[in-house]
Amino acid sequence: MDIATGQSVTTADRESIITEVLDGIYTESGRANPYPLYDKLRALGPVVTAPNGTVLISGYAEQLAFMKDHRLKKHPGRRLAATGWPDWKDRPSLRLMFDSMMFLNPPEHTRLRRLVQATFTPGRVKGMRSVVEQITADMLDALPRGTVNWVEGFALPMPIAVVGALLGVPPADWPLFQSLAANWTLVLDDVSPETVERADPSAVEMEECIARLAHDRAKKPQDDLISAMVAAQGDDKLTRRELVTMAALLLVAGFETTSGLLSKGLAALLKHPEQADRLRTEPELAGPAIEELVRYDAPVQFVANRTAEEDLEVAGIKLAPGQPAWALIGAGNRDPKVFTRPDELILDRQEAAPLSYGGGIHYCIGAALARLEAQVALPAVLRKFPDIQLAGPPTPRSSHLISGFVSLPVTV
Ligand code: HEM
């Protein structure tokens, strides 16, 4: 039964709707606004299986159960081997990415996560506030007046500066890390001979730069995360290679994602001027407002890298071993069973936590830092430029996984 029309939907209709949605989310208009497509999927039920066997989860509760179920495992190596990369550990870009904590299972994941959490603490994030405020103020001061591309002028360089400062990358190297990360992360969306060719040299250079930094900090520690990771004492420590892989992961995981929040968040605010006015004048609104903006248009639209090891059922979802399954975060964040008037931006909404930072053991380790960056930057830009306006349509990034803009023209 189609919930919207009350009419029964044949298997052929279902399949054509699911195919339309799957094709649609990869188009430019689908990447810019996937929400009408998610509505079509949701009308078929919270969990559907595509003709190609992929399970698509749009329901909030079902996604949370899926992301939290420890029986599901990540095996990027199996997928890489099956798609022509059995030697993936010999390719620097693939090894550095897919051998990192984000793609590991317990007990390796548990150990690495514990070790990094001992240094990347809530106290360290809190201590970053004045750094984030200074970077924000400097970058807003440097924005030329008139029409500017917000992504290039702020939303992209700002998170790399913040993660750079967190780790201890010298400011002169921030642009270098930005371009290395951009090339290396090509393999997140598409592992093809062309992307791997482009990503490999950047991954090697990234590793070398971080290894040099770790070497310097071992001799002369500073108040930064690399020094803290180098100095961490105890029987169990990060090896130098693990440290380099972890630092590289933190850099890239916190870069395009936060940039997506800063650019999609600003676009949403400028389309809702009355809400932007509230954020401009009510400092206590910053906390809930950033949660609402990350719900309204999530920078990571889906999580698709967990599979079952054997036949199992999770929240009514039947999964066969190795069967692909996608938690469509953007759809779950607009589930009407959980959020009232889900398509509206309501900055003081206080409902369920958005799914935008994932769930379970891989829950985003940088969520507190991302929140801090957006809570500082978005009210600051609105206050500094009271007449700021959108100056044209945004150009979406070509990635569907990490969604954001290549350009967002605004007049300041
Ligand atoms: C708005 C910004 C951000 C969003 C939307 C976001 C989203 C996510 C999501 C959905 C996951 C889970 C992936 C999965 O389950 O497969 C994740 C994991 C992760 N994130 Fe973030 N992230 C953001 C910012 C950051 C920042 C600032 C950092 C670091 C400085 C960071 C570091 C990580 C790491 C290391 C993981 C892997 C955790 C693990 O596997 O245990 N993220 N993030």
Side-chain angles (χ1 to χ4, degrees):
M1 178 82 76
D2 181 324
I3 297 164
T5 63
Q7 310 221 313
S8 62
V9 180
T10 64
T11 307
D13 288 344
R14 279 179 77 86
E15 291 196 346
S16 91
I17 293 170
I18 297 168
T19 305
E20 181 199 334
V21 172
L22 271 181
D23 290 346
I25 54 182
Y26 284 104
T27 62
E28 183 159 331
S29 67
R31 276 181 278 116
N33 181 14
Y35 300 103
L37 294 166
Y38 295 152
D39 288 346
K40 288 190 178 177
L41 206 59
R42 192 179 300 108
L44 301 177
V47 182
V48 299
T49 305
N52 68 7
T54 303
V55 175
L56 301 170
I57 313 166
S58 60
Y60 179 101
E62 292 77 8
Q63 284 187 42
L64 208 52
F66 172 79
M67 290 195 280
K68 285 186 165 175
D69 198 302
H70 292 188
R71 295 170 300 171
L72 299 168
K73 299 278 189 308
K74 298 195 174 192
H75 286 295
R78 286 187 195 161
R79 185 177 48 84
L80 288 165
T83 51
W85 299 94
D87 60 345
W88 66 277
K89 288 216 181 192
D90 298 329
R91 301 305 300 244
S93 59
L94 301 180
R95 187 187 45 70
L96 192 62
M97 181 68 72
F98 298 110
D99 228 5
S100 72
M101 177 176 75
M102 178 141 21
F103 296 93
L104 295 176
N105 300 304
E108 293 83 5
H109 173 269
T110 323
R111 173 178 161 269
L112 291 174
R113 177 116 183 171
R114 182 172 44 77
L115 288 171
V116 70
Q117 264 174 335
T119 52
F120 190 16
T121 57
R124 184 175 292 277
V125 175
K126 255 197 188 147
M128 290 288 294
R129 177 171 279 273
S130 58
V131 177
V132 173
E133 284 171 349
Q134 192 60 54
I135 289 171
T136 299
D138 291 347
M139 288 194 178
L140 290 181
D141 279 347
L143 268 190
R145 299 301 177 268
T147 299
V148 295
N149 175 0
W150 171 247
V151 180
E152 220 172 71
F154 189 93
L156 208 54
M158 190 267 194
I160 197 97
V162 171
V163 182
L166 170 82
L167 286 165
V169 177
D173 289 344
W174 293 345
L176 171 68
F177 275 77
Q178 180 173 328
S179 79
L180 295 179
N183 281 331
W184 172 37
T185 49
L186 290 173
V187 297
L188 262 183
D189 267 295
D190 171 33
V191 183
S192 65
E194 296 75 38
T195 54
V196 175
E197 251 352 275
R198 266 183 71 187
D200 272 351
S202 293
V204 171
E205 198 175 341
M206 172 91 88
E207 278 186 299
E208 287 170 358
C209 290
I210 298 172
R212 257 198 315 275
L213 214 55
H215 181 75
D216 291 350
R217 294 302 192 268
K219 287 199 284 190
K220 204 162 167 243
Q222 313 232 339
D223 182 18
D224 57 43
L225 195 59
I226 293 210
S227 301
M229 289 200 282
V230 170
Q233 294 299 312
D235 299 338
D236 188 17
K237 292 180 61 162
L238 289 175
T239 64
R240 194 51 66 90
R241 184 165 201 169
E242 286 171 344
L243 187 152
V244 169
T245 307
M246 182 66 78
L249 171 68
L250 290 171
L251 262 162
V252 297
F255 169 32
E256 290 288 359
T257 47
T258 312
S259 171
L261 174 57
L262 296 175
S263 49
K264 300 207 298 180
L266 184 63
L269 287 165
L270 298 182
K271 283 187 194 151
H272 298 82
E274 72 303 337
Q275 307 251 6
D277 267 344
R278 284 195 63 191
L279 187 57
R280 195 176 269 125
T281 52
E282 297 174 38
E284 66 290 351
L285 195 59
I290 298 311
E291 289 313 278
E292 173 64 351
L293 289 166
V294 85
R295 177 200 74 83
Y296 184 73
D297 203 1
V300 176
Q301 281 287 316
F302 63 88
V303 161
N305 47 26
R306 292 155 169 81
T307 50
E309 306 273 277
E310 56 200 0
D311 282 325
L312 55 83
E313 196 170 324
V314 185
I317 312 166
K318 285 197 170 57
L319 292 169
Q323 185 173 13
W326 296 7
L328 293 164
I329 287 177
N333 279 346
R334 299 223 185 171
D335 185 339
K337 286 194 209 128
V338 177
F339 298 102
T340 41
R341 294 180 282 136
D343 293 328
E344 286 180 33
L345 181 73
I346 304 172
L347 290 189
D348 56 5
R349 183 192 289 278
Q350 306 256 358
E351 292 180 301
L355 297 168
S356 311
Y357 297 107
I361 59 169
H362 293 280
Y363 183 82
C364 178
I365 205 167
L369 184 62
R371 287 187 186 107
L372 173 65
E373 289 176 61
Q375 286 171 13
V376 169
L378 290 176
V381 63
L382 294 175
R383 277 198 292 270
K384 183 163 177 93
F385 305 112
D387 299 322
I388 184 169
Q389 281 181 6
L390 290 173
T395 309
R397 297 185 76 230
S398 56
S399 163
H400 175 59
L401 175 63
I402 301 185
S403 106
F405 302 140
V406 181
S407 94
L408 176 69
V410 294
T411 310
V412 296

